[in-house]
Amino acid sequence: MKKQTIKEILKDYKKVLHHDITVYGWVKAFRSNRFIALNDGSTINNLQIVVDFENFDEAVISKISTASSLKVVGEVVESQGAGQTVEIIAKKIIVLGDNFTEELQSTILQPKKHSLEKLREQAHLRFRTNLFGAVFRVRHAVTFAIHSFFNKNHFFNVHTPIITGADAEGAGEMFGVTSFDLNNIPRTEDGEIDYSQDFFGKQTNLTVSGQLEGETAAMGLGRIYTFGPTFRAENSNTTRHLAEFWMVEPEVAFNNLEDNIDLAEDFLKYVIQYVLDNCKDDLEFLDKRFVEEQKSKPEKERAKEGLIEKLQNVVAKRFMRVSYTEAIEILLNSKENKKGKFQFPIEEWGADLQSEHERFLVEKHFESPVVLFDYPKDIKAFYMRLNDDNKTVRAMDVLFPGIGEIIGGSEREERIEVLKQKMQEMHVEEEELWWYMDTRKFGSVPHAGFGLGLERLVLFVTGMTNIRDVIPFPRTPKSAEF
Amino acid sequence: MKKQTIKEILKDYKKVLHHDITVYGWVKAFRSNRFIALNDGSTINNLQIVVDFENFDEAVISKISTASSLKVVGEVVESQGAGQTVEIIAKKIIVLGDNFTEELQSTILQPKKHSLEKLREQAHLRFRTNLFGAVFRVRHAVTFAIHSFFNKNHFFNVHTPIITGADAEGAGEMFGVTSFDLNNIPRTEDGEIDYSQDFFGKQTNLTVSGQLEGETAAMGLGRIYTFGPTFRAENSNTTRHLAEFWMVEPEVAFNNLEDNIDLAEDFLKYVIQYVLDNCKDDLEFLDKRFVEEQKSKPEKERAKEGLIEKLQNVVAKRFMRVSYTEAIEILLNSKENKKGKFQFPIEEWGADLQSEHERFLVEKHFESPVVLFDYPKDIKAFYMRLNDDNKTVRAMDVLFPGIGEIIGGSEREERIEVLKQKMQEMHVEEEELWWYMDTRKFGSVPHAGFGLGLERLVLFVTGMTNIRDVIPFPRTPKSAEF
């Protein structure tokens, strides 16, 4: 692209010093009728434009105000003031778009502090704020790092279907997809809904996971990953749940559980290091905000580390690998459990761990990310590989400070007889998954994979606390605006 | 990852020559009880395993057959035979999975030629064939190249919503999304469907385009692109249409139509060059297949170029930029039009161009990719920028040989009064798009973008002819298997 972004200009300013350049952006602030802070979204940093107002038409100057957009031609000079290396001495200013001043008053573009709730209501404008500019640039960096990691490691990105006729794992409620006119649903002679007349000739839903289809791809291509939207029609109005979110699911032929844990650890560290290396300015801004926010919390709820420090520590530390059985021992013997400090006390082996237990292990007991593995088979999905003890399966969860589970995965059951047995026990229809069974009939191989909720990782990396603030247009119960 | 793929082993064989290594894969062929062609999906090339069957248990040897999976330990040696540089002298063979021999007979894993239709019916197994291995590795390379191009050029990937309450541009029929029990849809007192009781509290659909939401993001972040699934509930059973497909939509603040055309040209050339550089083996395989396929066609329908030659030419040639008005002149004056050879004869300015016209311009008249621009406003969408002639809009289509339109885009109408007028004329509800209107009220800027259907590009790059053969699990009328 011929046009230079403000990020490029600020980074390589030596190339343009004392030259005339053209820049474009929105006005962040206009001080003393002389200093414009111009931003084009490429970076959190503004470019300072110096205006000698006597040289410009008053009509132009009067239209320069917060949120209006400009094209500026001027000379790049070393800055006299503090806070920036270079600035532009304006020679020509074109106001591209001014403001509907009255309506602006009620928007979040009005330069003052707005609540996150209000910013969410104007999600179409929040890209223009410092905070959400930073969050969405970091989200991009996380996304790109994910693709880069897998590509470097010889994985192939596979697009599994969004509309599906198969209920993957009974993982929660699904949204229906139909092209029926709901006022006029065709019926069979028996009065049943006649799905044969629907678009796909059968009942279809939005996918809850691409894993099962991903496994079939891994059985041919070896190493694959999916990266796409997934859906849950659960009526959960929490800061951790979305009805529509993006999921990353690698699946690797010939990998066992240890390989899978290694992969998860390498993967998370790569992505976080990439963000540390490539989003310095945005992270510094988010770090300040994070520290500020901690101050408003009761002392014992405050994070021990700053945001950047936390990210650096996760990259530096070896993830602790602990079996579920060991974890239960630790929890049973903990002061917290004995003194009844957990909302859900741990009573015996077999209990499903809650967020409070996961966070205890990570934040108090081990003080590092933790990988739990070998969970009781009854609390995990049918496709996870059964251990010889006949009680546990080769499942793994990666637990992160402040956030709990960030990755869940397993070695898959590749032995068809064991798989069939498990499906029967867990009431999964074999006929529905005939194609999945096929992958165990012709050169079945050990394989393993995991799922990462993109938004969980972006929450962790940005230090934001509500999942609705790390996806551009959140979908939640009673809310699908935009 | 510690394990080496066969691709890596073959590429860097000097590192492992005369060493013992462990390899994993599926048996592609087993000749003379001695030579195994092993493949792990990482490359189209097989690794030859040499078995001295006297050293192995007969029970093991008997399980080695096409499609079974192996773990092999052996020494890497220079190959005596033709066709490969190195081979492995097997010291240890473990059969990971053998075959349900009888069922195998009816699958596409049976080593003989299968029709594309049959391969499609067994989409879960076709990843294991040479052809679909190549296609999906190329699809990955295209995908990664797209992310790389935009990242290098300072774009941010934005995830626009899949479930939407807004009907973007009336672009065809949409799928409904609901959590209603269709047997028991709640009604208001007036007998209307009570969407307030549906999951999102309103009627929702699957997105047909992320453009409008993408524009709001570009108005903050400057340069963005979306890359996600989009949907059309159109009953089109053709080789060019899918109900679910992946779309890439960049949107750039401060760009005009010329910038947009430059971007599209740079983008397509980058992606195609990336595939040429990174998918040599797969392209050579696809090229051979392409040439073979041409032979079965009547002479006048045959492609003039081979597949790789075609890709190299597209990268080398400057795209011809031609206004719609010029194109109509060319078509009106063409022998083809005068002799009635077009199925849809061109009669006058204003006609919508059909695939046959686009292909005439690209393949016969200009013999290069063509960018048409400045289309009649009546045949284009409401958001495209009106020219001063009041008759045409700043639309553009990129036309490719053999495929017709591969990209469609425009400079957007950034002037709110003109936009409102157009919306009124074209019956688009302003109130529904209140958030879109907002982007023109506060620092509106010229901007432009386009849409690329990923599958169209993969068709072009792989030389495949049916769009169902370039997406893992195609969704089409009456078909949502897997």
Side-chain angles (χ1 to χ4, degrees):
Chain A
M1 308 246 324
K2 286 169 299 183
K3 289 201 195 86
Q4 279 208 303
T5 60
I6 288 177
K7 182 177 181 179
E8 290 169 278
I9 294 166
L10 292 175
K11 191 174 164 228
D12 294 330
Y13 66 90
K14 284 178 182 157
K15 286 188 194 160
V16 286
L17 202 58
H18 307 306
H19 288 83
D20 280 4
I21 63 170
T22 305
V23 293
Y24 300 82
W26 291 273
V27 176
K28 282 282 180 176
F30 188 24
R31 286 188 297 118
S32 323
N33 257 11
R34 189 166 166 79
F35 301 108
I36 300 169
L38 198 71
N39 189 285
D40 67 357
S42 62
T43 162
I44 199 156
N45 300 311
N46 302 321
L47 181 59
Q48 175 151 292
I49 312 290
V50 184
V51 186
D52 190 349
F53 64 90
E54 287 178 352
N55 296 342
F56 289 88
D57 192 341
E58 210 175 303
V60 169
I61 298 290
S62 73
K63 283 185 179 167
I64 301 173
S65 64
T66 304
S68 67
S69 50
L70 308 180
K71 174 181 177 177
V72 178
V73 182
E75 188 188 342
V76 183
V77 300
E78 269 149 347
S79 180
Q80 307 303 310
Q84 61 272 324
T85 323
V86 289
E87 59 195 19
I88 309 279
I89 307 296
K91 294 184 175 170
K92 196 170 144 191
I93 297 179
I94 295 167
V95 178
L96 298 170
D98 55 0
N99 296 313
F100 282 44
T101 321
E102 211 163 304
E103 288 187 44
L104 186 69
Q105 307 306 315
S106 56
T107 75
I108 57 168
L109 300 176
Q110 191 65 7
K112 59 169 197 173
K113 200 163 165 61
H114 304 283
S115 71
L116 290 172
E117 290 72 24
K118 187 161 179 196
L119 285 154
R120 225 172 280 145
E121 284 164 18
Q122 297 181 27
H124 63 305
L125 297 177
R126 66 180 176 169
F127 298 105
R128 290 173 71 170
T129 63
N130 284 333
L131 176 58
F132 285 92
V135 166
F136 291 122
R137 281 188 295 269
V138 170
R139 184 179 167 111
H140 163 74
V142 168
T143 299
F144 188 69
I146 290 168
H147 287 294
S148 297
F149 173 83
F150 287 123
N151 186 65
K152 269 187 226 293
N153 286 291
H154 310 284
F155 285 67
F156 304 108
N157 189 190
V158 168
H159 295 110
T160 48
I162 309 301
I163 298 173
T164 168
D167 178 348
E169 37 172 311
E173 306 223 14
M174 300 172 91
F175 288 106
V177 174
T178 180
S179 64
F180 280 154
D181 171 358
L182 296 194
N183 276 308
N184 194 7
I185 297 177
R187 301 266 168 183
T188 64
E189 282 180 14
D190 305 338
E192 300 287 315
I193 294 172
D194 186 2
Y195 282 109
S196 75
Q197 293 189 48
D198 205 351
F199 189 91
F200 294 108
K202 64 194 290 196
Q203 198 171 354
T204 52
N205 299 300
L206 290 179
T207 184
V208 295
S209 160
Q211 181 200 314
L212 302 194
E213 289 91 351
E215 282 188 53
T216 72
M219 296 302 93
L221 300 169
R223 299 180 187 175
I224 68 96
Y225 71 106
T226 71
F227 191 147
T230 47
F231 306 86
R232 296 278 189 289
E234 272 164 47
N235 207 354
S236 307
N237 244 317
T238 79
T239 57
R240 293 163 52 93
H241 292 89
L242 291 168
E244 173 182 314
F245 56 99
W246 286 69
M247 190 119 95
V248 179
E249 296 179 288
E251 191 72 38
V252 188
F254 315 112
N255 263 11
N256 63 22
L257 188 70
E258 285 69 35
D259 300 325
N260 205 36
I261 296 174
D262 288 343
L263 180 68
E265 181 167 347
D266 290 350
F267 166 67
L268 287 167
K269 286 180 171 177
Y270 177 93
V271 173
I272 293 167
Q273 187 62 51
Y274 181 94
V275 175
L276 283 167
D277 292 342
N278 289 275
C279 303
K280 211 164 162 293
D281 296 337
D282 286 323
L283 280 185
E284 279 167 10
F285 174 86
L286 291 166
D287 191 60
K288 273 189 204 126
R289 181 189 168 276
F290 183 80
V291 170
E292 209 50 50
E293 211 187 46
Q294 298 304 314
K295 287 185 192 156
S296 68
K297 290 187 176 177
E299 186 146 353
K300 62 172 190 164
E301 284 176 27
R302 283 183 206 164
K304 287 180 193 162
E305 311 157 309
L307 176 65
I308 294 177
E309 195 186 355
K310 178 184 80 172
L311 300 179
Q312 287 166 336
N313 280 338
V314 164
V315 173
K317 283 180 182 163
R318 191 163 184 282
F319 292 9
M320 285 300 302
R321 298 170 187 214
V322 183
S323 76
Y324 168 88
T325 302
E326 290 172 78
I328 286 289
E329 284 301 315
I330 292 166
L331 288 164
L332 278 172
N333 292 322
S334 68
K335 263 195 292 192
E336 280 72 4
N337 200 52
K338 288 180 176 163
K339 291 195 175 165
K341 295 224 169 134
F342 287 135
Q343 197 190 338
F344 301 94
I346 295 289
E347 284 166 4
E348 55 180 9
W349 191 95
D352 207 353
L353 300 186
Q354 304 296 323
S355 185
E356 57 180 341
H357 310 127
E358 297 173 346
R359 294 189 57 180
F360 167 81
L361 292 168
V362 172
E363 292 163 34
K364 299 236 165 97
H365 190 83
F366 290 107
E367 293 189 307
S368 84
V370 171
V371 188
L372 293 187
F373 61 90
D374 284 350
Y375 281 79
K377 67 174 179 173
D378 296 336
I379 59 172
K380 289 289 180 182
F382 76 89
Y383 49 71
M384 298 187 174
R385 194 178 200 277
L386 190 64
N387 280 311
D388 292 343
D389 63 12
N390 206 18
K391 275 169 56 189
T392 59
V393 288
R394 303 244 76 190
M396 59 173 252
D397 281 352
V398 181
L399 313 179
F400 259 23
I403 209 150
E405 183 195 327
I406 194 151
I407 274 180
S410 73
E411 188 174 334
R412 316 306 187 188
E413 184 55 76
E414 90 282 12
R415 299 162 297 183
I416 192 158
E417 290 311 325
V418 184
L419 183 63
K420 282 185 176 186
Q421 177 70 29
K422 283 285 288 298
M423 288 171 81
Q424 214 159 40
E425 284 170 27
M426 300 179 98
H427 309 292
V428 181
E429 293 283 347
E430 242 186 78
E431 298 81 59
E432 286 244 327
L433 293 179
W434 64 271
W435 46 274
Y436 187 69
M437 308 312 286
D438 264 8
T439 58
R440 272 68 174 171
K441 292 180 183 169
F442 315 113
S444 184
V445 300
H447 59 291
F450 60 77
L452 167 91
L454 178 68
E455 286 75 18
R456 287 270 173 94
L457 181 55
V458 179
L459 272 180
F460 182 75
V461 173
T462 58
M464 301 296 286
T465 46
N466 190 324
I467 201 160
R468 298 165 199 212
D469 294 331
V470 296
I471 190 167
F473 299 100
R475 266 59 186 125
T476 54
K478 304 298 171 205
S479 172
E481 195 62 81
F482 313 105
Chain B
M1 307 250 319
K2 287 170 296 182
K3 289 201 194 82
Q4 278 207 304
T5 60
I6 288 178
K7 183 178 180 177
E8 290 168 279
I9 292 167
L10 292 174
K11 193 176 163 225
D12 294 330
Y13 68 89
K14 284 179 182 154
K15 286 187 195 160
V16 286
L17 202 58
H18 307 305
H19 287 84
D20 280 2
I21 62 169
T22 305
V23 293
Y24 301 82
W26 291 273
V27 176
K28 282 282 180 176
F30 187 26
R31 285 188 298 119
S32 323
N33 256 12
R34 187 166 168 82
F35 301 106
I36 300 169
L38 197 72
N39 190 283
D40 67 356
S42 62
T43 162
I44 197 156
N45 300 312
N46 302 322
L47 182 59
Q48 176 154 292
I49 312 291
V50 183
V51 186
D52 190 348
F53 63 91
E54 288 177 353
N55 296 342
F56 291 89
D57 192 340
E58 209 174 307
V60 169
I61 298 289
S62 73
K63 283 185 180 169
I64 301 175
S65 63
T66 304
S68 67
S69 50
L70 308 180
K71 174 180 177 177
V72 177
V73 182
E75 188 187 342
V76 184
V77 299
E78 271 149 345
S79 180
Q80 306 303 311
Q84 61 271 326
T85 322
V86 289
E87 58 195 21
I88 309 279
I89 307 295
K91 294 185 175 170
K92 195 171 147 192
I93 298 180
I94 294 166
V95 178
L96 298 171
D98 54 1
N99 297 313
F100 282 44
T101 321
E102 211 164 305
E103 288 188 44
L104 187 69
Q105 306 307 316
S106 56
T107 75
I108 57 169
L109 299 177
Q110 190 65 5
K112 60 170 197 172
K113 199 162 166 60
H114 303 282
S115 71
L116 289 172
E117 289 72 25
K118 186 161 180 195
L119 286 154
R120 225 171 279 143
E121 284 164 19
Q122 298 181 26
H124 62 304
L125 297 177
R126 65 179 177 169
F127 298 105
R128 290 174 70 170
T129 64
N130 283 333
L131 177 58
F132 285 91
V135 166
F136 291 123
R137 282 188 295 269
V138 170
R139 185 178 165 112
H140 163 74
V142 169
T143 299
F144 187 69
I146 290 168
H147 287 294
S148 297
F149 174 84
F150 286 122
N151 187 65
K152 269 188 225 295
N153 286 290
H154 310 284
F155 284 67
F156 303 107
N157 189 189
V158 169
H159 295 110
T160 48
I162 310 301
I163 300 173
T164 166
D167 178 349
E169 36 173 309
E173 305 223 14
M174 301 170 90
F175 288 104
V177 174
T178 180
S179 63
F180 280 153
D181 171 358
L182 297 194
N183 276 309
N184 196 7
I185 298 177
R187 303 265 170 183
T188 63
E189 283 181 13
D190 304 339
E192 302 285 316
I193 293 171
D194 186 2
Y195 283 108
S196 75
Q197 292 189 48
D198 205 352
F199 188 92
F200 294 109
K202 64 193 289 194
Q203 199 171 354
T204 52
N205 300 299
L206 290 178
T207 184
V208 296
S209 160
Q211 181 201 314
L212 302 193
E213 290 91 350
E215 282 189 52
T216 72
M219 297 301 94
L221 300 169
R223 297 180 188 175
I224 68 97
Y225 70 106
T226 70
F227 192 147
T230 48
F231 306 85
R232 297 278 190 287
E234 272 164 46
N235 206 354
S236 307
N237 244 318
T238 80
T239 57
R240 293 163 52 94
H241 291 90
L242 291 167
E244 173 180 312
F245 56 100
W246 286 70
M247 190 120 93
V248 178
E249 296 179 288
E251 190 72 38
V252 188
F254 314 112
N255 263 12
N256 61 24
L257 188 69
E258 285 69 35
D259 300 325
N260 205 36
I261 296 174
D262 289 343
L263 179 68
E265 183 168 346
D266 290 350
F267 166 67
L268 287 168
K269 288 181 172 176
Y270 176 93
V271 173
I272 293 168
Q273 187 61 53
Y274 181 94
V275 176
L276 284 166
D277 293 342
N278 288 275
C279 303
K280 212 164 161 294
D281 297 337
D282 287 322
L283 280 185
E284 278 167 11
F285 174 86
L286 292 166
D287 191 58
K288 273 189 206 128
R289 180 189 170 276
F290 183 79
V291 170
E292 211 49 51
E293 210 187 46
Q294 298 303 314
K295 287 184 191 158
S296 68
K297 290 186 176 178
E299 185 146 357
K300 64 171 189 166
E301 283 176 29
R302 285 183 205 162
K304 289 179 193 161
E305 311 156 311
L307 177 65
I308 293 177
E309 195 185 356
K310 178 185 79 173
L311 300 180
Q312 287 167 336
N313 280 337
V314 164
V315 173
K317 283 180 182 164
R318 192 164 184 282
F319 293 8
M320 286 298 303
R321 299 172 186 213
V322 184
S323 76
Y324 167 90
T325 302
E326 290 171 80
I328 286 289
E329 284 300 315
I330 292 166
L331 288 164
L332 278 172
N333 292 322
S334 68
K335 264 194 294 192
E336 279 73 4
N337 200 52
K338 287 180 177 165
K339 292 195 176 168
K341 295 224 170 133
F342 288 135
Q343 196 189 339
F344 301 93
I346 296 288
E347 284 167 3
E348 55 180 9
W349 191 96
D352 206 352
L353 300 186
Q354 304 295 322
S355 185
E356 58 179 342
H357 310 126
E358 295 173 347
R359 294 190 56 180
F360 168 81
L361 292 168
V362 172
E363 292 162 35
K364 300 238 165 98
H365 191 82
F366 290 108
E367 293 188 306
S368 82
V370 171
V371 188
L372 294 188
F373 60 90
D374 284 351
Y375 280 80
K377 67 173 179 175
D378 296 336
I379 59 172
K380 290 288 180 182
F382 75 90
Y383 49 71
M384 299 189 175
R385 195 179 199 276
L386 191 64
N387 280 311
D388 291 344
D389 62 13
N390 205 18
K391 276 168 57 188
T392 59
V393 288
R394 303 245 75 190
M396 59 174 251
D397 282 351
V398 181
L399 313 179
F400 259 24
I403 209 150
E405 183 196 326
I406 194 152
I407 273 181
S410 73
E411 187 174 333
R412 316 306 188 187
E413 184 55 76
E414 89 282 13
R415 299 161 298 183
I416 193 159
E417 290 310 325
V418 184
L419 183 64
K420 283 186 175 184
Q421 178 69 29
K422 283 285 289 297
M423 288 170 81
Q424 215 160 39
E425 285 171 25
M426 299 180 97
H427 309 292
V428 181
E429 294 283 346
E430 243 187 76
E431 298 80 59
E432 285 244 329
L433 293 179
W434 63 272
W435 47 274
Y436 187 69
M437 308 312 286
D438 264 8
T439 58
R440 273 67 175 172
K441 291 180 181 168
F442 315 114
S444 185
V445 300
H447 59 290
F450 59 77
L452 167 90
L454 178 68
E455 286 76 18
R456 287 270 174 96
L457 182 54
V458 179
L459 273 181
F460 182 75
V461 172
T462 58
M464 301 296 284
T465 47
N466 190 326
I467 201 160
R468 299 167 199 209
D469 295 331
V470 296
I471 190 166
F473 299 99
R475 268 48 187 134
T476 53
K478 305 297 171 205
S479 172
E481 195 61 81
F482 313 105

